[in-house]
């Protein structure tokens, strides 16, 4: 188990950069993916992108409590519907905002061995995928939130 340092918005400009396509599905990539998962679990997150640990590659991992999925060179190929809900980010500790996302997405990606797969996701999984996919192009949820929670709203959330 190895965790890496999570970059934070406002401190690390790298988070605004575009990540590059992965072209080698080698041990170095596998170590990165393993470390990303360890880092995400230790921070109690549900997803993390390569750039958040300082690696500008098009990779992210997600686990919303239904098992870990690794996405390499992903593309969202279809989306439908709409959902409005709360999002946070490991790179913006303590901040939450409401974001409208598609209710369903179809995503094509590669696994760690370079094998392509297609996944259909809905609800919170679709939200997590959209959030992480945005990181690959330097976008963050705070760019598209329609309401950041106030301190008072955060306190109410804590009490729930
Ligand atoms: Ni994030």
């Amino acid at each position: 188990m190895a965790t890496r340092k999570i970059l934070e918005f406002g401190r690390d400009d790298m988070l605004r950069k575009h990540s590059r396509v992965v072209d080698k599905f080698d041990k170095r990539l596998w170590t990165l993916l393993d470390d990303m998962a360890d880092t995400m679990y230790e921070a109690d997150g549900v997803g993390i992108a390569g750039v958040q640990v300082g690696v500008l590659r098009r990779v992210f991992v997600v686990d919303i409590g239904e098992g870990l999925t690794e996405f390499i060179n992903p593309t969202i190929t279809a989306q439908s519907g709409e959902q409005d809900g709360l999002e946070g980010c490991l790179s913006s500790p303590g901040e939450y905002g409401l974001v409208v996302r598609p209710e369903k997405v179809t995503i094509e990606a590669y696994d760690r061995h370079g094998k392509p797969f297609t996944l259909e996701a809905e609800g919170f999984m679709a939200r997590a995928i959209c959030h992480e996919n945005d990181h690959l192009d330097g976008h963050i949820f705070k760019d598209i939130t329609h309401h950041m929670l106030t301190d008072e709203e955060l306190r109410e959330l804590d009490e729930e």
Side-chain angles (χ1 to χ4, degrees):
M1 155 141 187
T3 59
R4 300 197 188 188
K5 181 174 172 270
I6 299 175
L7 305 190
E8 289 184 19
F9 293 112
R11 285 193 204 159
D12 294 280
D13 292 343
M14 186 188 274
L15 287 159
R16 286 300 192 179
K17 294 194 170 156
H18 290 263
S19 293
R20 296 183 302 271
V21 166
V22 170
D23 49 13
K24 289 197 193 87
F25 293 80
D26 56 6
K27 276 217 169 106
R28 195 180 166 88
L29 173 68
W30 301 343
T31 302
L32 170 65
L33 290 163
D34 291 343
D35 289 357
M36 284 168 60
D38 288 344
T39 304
M40 174 185 75
Y41 289 127
E42 190 181 75
D44 275 328
V46 296
I48 194 167
V51 64
Q52 291 181 274
V53 294
V55 179
L56 281 170
R57 290 291 174 179
R58 302 190 78 81
V59 296
F60 63 79
V61 301
V62 171
D63 185 349
I64 61 163
E66 298 171 355
L68 183 74
T69 310
E70 298 171 338
F71 297 86
I72 297 148
N73 298 339
T75 310
I76 293 174
T77 55
Q79 59 181 61
S80 64
E82 212 175 80
Q83 57 170 319
D84 190 7
L86 208 53
E87 279 183 35
C89 180
L90 293 179
S91 294
S92 298
E95 296 190 288
Y96 297 89
L98 290 169
V99 182
V100 176
R101 298 284 191 185
E103 174 61 25
K104 289 185 184 178
V105 296
T106 304
I107 184 166
E108 293 179 12
Y110 295 84
D111 72 10
R112 62 165 58 203
H113 302 288
K115 186 170 172 243
F117 67 93
T118 302
L119 186 85
E120 288 181 22
E122 58 182 77
F124 191 60
M125 185 65 177
R127 174 176 297 283
I129 284 170
C130 290
H131 176 114
E132 297 312 325
N133 198 59
D134 278 355
H135 276 300
L136 305 186
D137 292 305
H139 303 308
I140 68 171
F141 80 97
K142 289 201 278 184
D143 299 337
I144 54 169
T145 180
H146 62 88
H147 176 70
M148 285 299 289
L149 293 203
T150 62
D151 288 346
E152 184 166 359
E153 287 168 328
L154 284 171
R155 272 195 299 276
E156 284 169 13
L157 200 70
D158 274 345
E159 285 161 15
E160 277 174 18

